[in-house]
Amino acid sequence: VSTQSTGTEDYKESLVLWRRPVTTLYYFFRQLISELIRLAILLLTNRAVVVLLTVVSLCTAAALHIPGPHTPYVSVITAQSTWCLYWIGLGVLSSVGFGTGLHTFLLYLGPHIASVTIAAWECGTTDFPEPPYPSKIVCPEAGQMSIGILTIMSKVRLEAFMWGAGTALGELPPYFMARAARLSGAMVQDEDLQELDQIKEKTDLDLWSRAKLLMHTLVQRAGFLGILLCASIPNPLFDLAGLTCGHFLVPFTTFFGATLIGKAVVKMHIQMIFIILIFTKHHLEAIENFIASIPEVGPVLHAPFVEYMEKQKLKLHSGGKQGGGAAGDSVVSKVFEVFLGVMILYFLVSIVNSFAQQYYKDKVEEKKEK
């Protein structure tokens, strides 16, 4: 039995695009179809939700396409709602658990906060013309104000909160999965919980296993405060907190309330302050001096970094009309674009692999039950 189990696990781990591309893609599409069918069944069993969504969609479509005195207000509300949904979606992608998760803070929110910080110090104000802000930052022709951390935080607080709320929403699937399994009396077929049960039986634990056991105990015994603490710090093990809360039937309001406050309020303010401090004017000058002082590679890295920063500042005053051509693109911007593309590709590949492995795992469990 042990040998058979090991063989099954080895085959599941081999279901990746670079080892079994045809089988992995086949299993991925089968799992994707299964998930879509489950979603359709869920919607059909919740007709009130379907009716509500239909009514809201029809009202929204009517407001957008029928002209009237409401049109200017609808345009403003639509633009603001789209902007908020954009950041919520990025937050969900960061934590929802598809594949490895897309690190959207490093790829999107962090650079956005950094660009606003640099622009605030360069322009001497955060009252950027709207439009083109937020799609593009341009210094206003006049207007100066006192620039500080709180001023910049107030400018990016909405984006940061929405991104944090999205990460909180992304933590709900493990919670609902474990809760549904507990209420139905079925075993939770989750590797993290199964691994946790094995850890509890061991006495000699490594640091990672101790961290898992500590978080599980903290969430189980401290309740709201324990969840809040775990959500308020960068925590790669927070999926385990959702599974624990669902398994022990922690009320939804307790779990989601603590998660939302921790991720969208506490942790986001910590991350905002960190990024803003790094990209303040005097800290950027210190970073430039540090790069220049690095032996051998310092001068090589310093020149493109300074060039990139100067071009970004020039764009703030020129409305992006200068230095934005293909010939003038900085090495730093090109490297970031390549890095962004690689990260998104890796995220998509990890989703395919994860879905394929889940499909195979479900089929193995079905055979065992028969």
Side-chain angles (χ1 to χ4, degrees):
V1 175
S2 177
T3 304
Q4 183 179 2
S5 177
T6 302
T8 300
E9 187 66 24
D10 290 342
Y11 185 79
K12 190 192 84 169
E13 294 298 328
S14 71
L15 287 172
V16 290
L17 283 173
W18 51 89
R19 295 181 64 182
R20 300 177 185 269
V22 177
T23 306
T24 301
L25 285 173
Y26 173 73
Y27 283 176
F28 163 73
F29 284 113
R30 291 293 299 269
Q31 181 66 17
L32 180 61
I33 293 171
S34 299
E35 294 295 337
L36 292 175
I37 292 173
R38 289 176 190 171
L39 178 60
I41 294 173
L42 180 63
L43 290 175
L44 290 175
T45 54
N46 293 273
R47 296 182 180 179
V49 176
V50 175
V51 171
L52 178 62
L53 291 176
T54 303
V55 171
V56 171
S57 299
L58 291 175
C59 292
T60 303
L64 289 172
H65 294 92
I66 299 176
H70 64 281
T71 302
Y73 302 101
V74 171
S75 300
V76 173
I77 294 173
T78 301
Q80 194 73 355
S81 300
T82 303
W83 184 242
C84 291
L85 289 174
Y86 170 76
W87 289 110
I88 290 174
L90 288 176
V92 171
L93 287 175
S94 179
S95 64
V96 72
F98 290 152
T100 59
L102 184 63
H103 303 291
T104 52
F105 181 86
L106 293 177
L107 298 177
Y108 295 97
L109 184 58
H112 174 69
I113 297 174
S115 63
V116 171
T117 303
I118 294 171
W121 285 103
E122 179 65 19
C123 302
T125 180
T126 56
D127 292 331
F128 311 125
E130 300 183 27
Y133 184 83
S135 60
K136 184 191 297 182
I137 303 177
V138 177
C139 289
E141 295 181 359
Q144 295 289 321
M145 60 187 298
S146 177
I147 298 299
I149 292 179
L150 295 179
T151 308
I152 301 172
M153 285 176 64
S154 65
K155 190 67 176 179
V156 297
R157 184 172 284 117
L158 176 64
E159 296 91 327
F161 177 82
M162 290 300 165
W163 184 88
T167 62
L169 289 172
E171 302 293 353
L172 292 181
Y175 169 82
F176 283 123
M177 181 194 71
R179 183 180 178 86
R182 179 64 182 272
L183 291 174
S184 65
M187 291 182 61
V188 180
Q189 302 296 337
D190 186 88
E191 295 178 357
D192 288 332
L193 282 181
Q194 292 174 355
E195 182 183 357
L196 187 61
D197 290 335
Q198 297 174 357
I199 290 175
K200 290 179 181 178
E201 299 175 357
K202 296 180 180 178
T203 55
D204 186 17
L205 300 176
D206 55 30
L207 185 61
W208 188 250
S209 298
R210 289 178 184 274
K212 286 186 175 182
L213 189 59
L214 175 63
M215 196 185 69
H216 171 78
T217 305
L218 181 64
V219 169
Q220 183 182 355
R221 294 183 180 179
F224 183 91
L225 293 178
I227 301 168
L228 178 63
L229 179 61
C230 292
S232 298
I233 57 175
N235 188 354
L237 300 175
F238 195 78
D239 278 353
L240 186 59
L243 291 168
T244 301
C245 290
H247 182 71
F248 289 101
L249 303 181
V250 174
F252 171 77
T253 52
T254 301
F255 171 72
F256 186 68
T259 304
L260 182 63
I261 294 172
K263 287 182 172 291
V265 179
V266 180
K267 188 173 79 169
M268 275 317 308
H269 276 83
I270 296 173
Q271 291 174 308
M272 272 196 296
I273 293 172
F274 179 74
I275 296 295
I276 291 171
L277 285 176
I278 288 179
F279 287 91
T280 52
K281 188 175 182 179
H282 56 284
H283 284 158
L284 274 179
E285 292 173 354
I287 291 173
E288 290 182 10
N289 294 332
F290 173 75
I291 293 175
S293 66
I294 299 176
E296 298 183 2
V297 298
V300 178
L301 297 175
H302 182 259
F305 180 78
V306 172
E307 176 193 2
Y308 175 77
M309 295 306 302
E310 290 301 321
K311 286 184 177 180
Q312 297 309 305
K313 293 176 182 179
L314 184 62
K315 288 179 182 180
L316 294 173
H317 297 285
S318 63
K321 296 179 181 179
Q322 299 180 23
D329 281 344
S330 157
V331 174
V332 177
S333 63
K334 290 182 179 179
V335 169
F336 180 76
E337 288 174 3
V338 171
F339 175 72
L340 179 61
V342 170
M343 290 293 292
I344 293 176
L345 179 62
Y346 178 69
F347 173 63
L348 294 175
V349 169
S350 69
I351 290 177
V352 174
N353 294 339
S354 178
F355 271 46
Q357 292 173 3
Q358 186 61 46
Y359 178 81
Y360 175 74
K361 180 182 176 182
D362 291 343
K363 290 302 176 185
V364 170
E365 295 298 332
E366 288 179 7
K367 289 182 180 179
K368 287 182 180 179
E369 292 176 358
K370 294 179 181 179

